[in-house]
Amino acid sequence: MDIERVGIVGAGQMGNGIAHVMALAGYEVRLNDLDRETLDAALEKIGRNMDRQVRKGAVAEADKEAALARITPTLEISDLGACDLVIEAATEREEIKQKIFDALLPHLKPGTILTSNTSSISITRLASRTDRPEKFMGFHFMNPVPVMQLVELIRGIATDDETVAACRAVVDRLGKTAASAEDFPAFIVNRILMPMINEAVYTLYEGVGSVQSIDRSMKLGANHPMGPLELADFIGLDTCLAIMNVLHDGLADTKYRPCPLLTKYVEAGWLGRKTGRGFYDYRGETPVPTR
């Protein structure tokens, strides 16, 4: 099927990045959120990020202006009803995602493909609660969306071949690379990445190394561009904990038990960059370790 209009639910960090790349690829985008301030902030961020691409010569000024004109913000989820593809990009909590799908379904065309940007939740289970499990799949972008080249495509047990082909064609049009993942907890990237981050937190918790020594060791010893604790702050510690809980609950293996220190940071509201404090304190000019 031909996809030309894309609806995105959630204008936060992931949603505005998805809107950015979709609009640059020529899709008409309807960006939905419950909050006007969040929508305004998303459009401002998209504009800033596109300006950066213009300065680098990656995007022409005319293409930037045309892309921005293709993004329509809306507070009404019903406005996404005419879209050919809808991508849910809300917070990583299954009950919230389910409420979004329940609100969307009465407005969608019969042929609309429904997808989730979830990084860990069962696609089969999400799809089973809709009226179109055969036209539902996981569409997992990496953060930051305009920069990262990979998109995980996760097929639920009922997803049909036409839906998979249509979503793969979208990834190709974005100039990104698709990786097919089976519908098991956390899929591929986070199945491998989150236990590494969790183990780094255990290493800190047990006093094996400091925040700085752990991050420095992985950057210089394993050639990682960011240390695991720095990366956890970038992702959001609440998201890391949520994914570890999905792994622990879904696979029933104690090796996925979230580190108590990670839980403590989340309980304190120290979620990383987005709250100003996590394993580093970002409130000054230079990030400072909090332990």
Side-chain angles (χ1 to χ4, degrees):
M1 63 176 294
D2 292 329
I3 293 174
E4 294 301 332
R5 288 171 292 185
V6 177
I8 300 164
V9 184
Q13 189 174 37
M14 296 304 295
N16 73 62
I18 297 169
H20 175 140
V21 298
M22 289 288 180
L24 275 179
Y27 292 104
E28 295 294 330
V29 176
R30 294 185 182 179
L31 180 61
N32 166 258
D33 202 281
L34 293 171
D35 182 62
R36 172 57 65 183
E37 289 184 3
T38 302
L39 282 172
D40 291 342
L43 292 173
E44 183 181 347
K45 184 176 182 180
I46 292 168
R48 288 198 313 270
N49 287 340
M50 286 188 184
D51 284 339
R52 187 178 299 115
Q53 290 177 307
V54 170
R55 289 195 298 271
K56 291 180 178 179
V59 173
E61 179 68 29
D63 291 338
K64 181 204 83 170
E65 295 297 335
L68 289 173
R70 282 192 283 269
I71 301 174
T72 303
T74 177
L75 295 170
E76 302 298 328
I77 203 166
S78 59
D79 289 342
L80 276 58
C83 293
D84 307 309
L85 167 69
V86 175
I87 303 170
E88 170 273 314
T91 189
E92 193 69 354
R93 289 172 55 189
E94 188 166 349
E95 65 273 19
I96 291 176
K97 295 179 184 297
Q98 190 57 57
K99 287 180 181 178
I100 288 169
F101 295 135
D102 289 345
L104 266 171
L105 290 175
H107 308 290
L108 298 181
K109 301 182 298 182
T112 297
I113 292 174
L114 193 54
T115 68
S116 176
N117 185 57
T118 179
S119 53
S120 62
I121 298 169
S122 168
I123 297 302
T124 296
R125 189 167 64 245
L126 289 174
S128 71
R129 297 167 184 165
T130 73
D131 64 353
R132 61 196 66 211
E134 72 286 348
K135 294 191 176 300
F136 191 110
M137 71 182 301
F139 210 143
H140 181 214
F141 289 84
M142 306 295 124
N143 185 34
V145 179
V147 175
M148 302 296 281
Q149 288 300 302
L150 184 73
V151 179
E152 281 184 315
L153 293 180
I154 305 99
R155 185 174 190 155
I157 195 170
T159 310
D160 63 26
D161 292 340
E162 183 184 26
T163 298
V164 174
C167 288
R168 186 174 292 276
V170 172
V171 176
D172 290 343
R173 182 164 158 181
L174 295 177
K176 296 186 181 296
T177 300
S180 296
E182 292 300 316
D183 186 23
F184 287 95
F187 319 130
I188 295 173
V189 173
N190 284 316
R191 173 76 176 265
I192 297 168
L193 176 63
M194 287 302 158
M196 184 198 76
I197 288 176
N198 194 51
E199 195 62 28
V201 182
Y202 266 115
T203 304
L204 177 65
Y205 178 61
E206 295 168 3
V208 179
S210 67
V211 170
Q212 283 186 321
S213 63
I214 291 166
D215 278 350
R216 184 179 295 128
S217 293
M218 294 308 293
K219 285 193 283 189
L220 300 182
N223 204 28
H224 291 190
M226 298 173 71
L229 301 176
E230 181 186 6
L231 178 57
D233 276 358
F234 179 75
I235 293 168
L237 303 192
D238 53 338
T239 300
C240 294
L241 179 60
I243 296 170
M244 286 308 301
N245 281 325
V246 167
L247 281 165
H248 190 235
D249 295 343
L251 297 171
D253 192 324
T254 56
K255 73 180 180 180
Y256 298 116
R257 182 172 69 95
C259 179
L261 184 60
L262 177 59
T263 301
K264 182 180 288 188
Y265 269 71
V266 173
E267 289 174 343
W270 292 18
L271 308 182
R273 286 181 177 270
K274 61 187 174 185
T275 58
R277 278 189 293 190
F279 292 112
Y280 293 85
D281 189 327
Y282 300 93
R283 294 174 298 174
E285 289 188 12
T286 304
V288 178
T290 54
R291 289 180 75 88

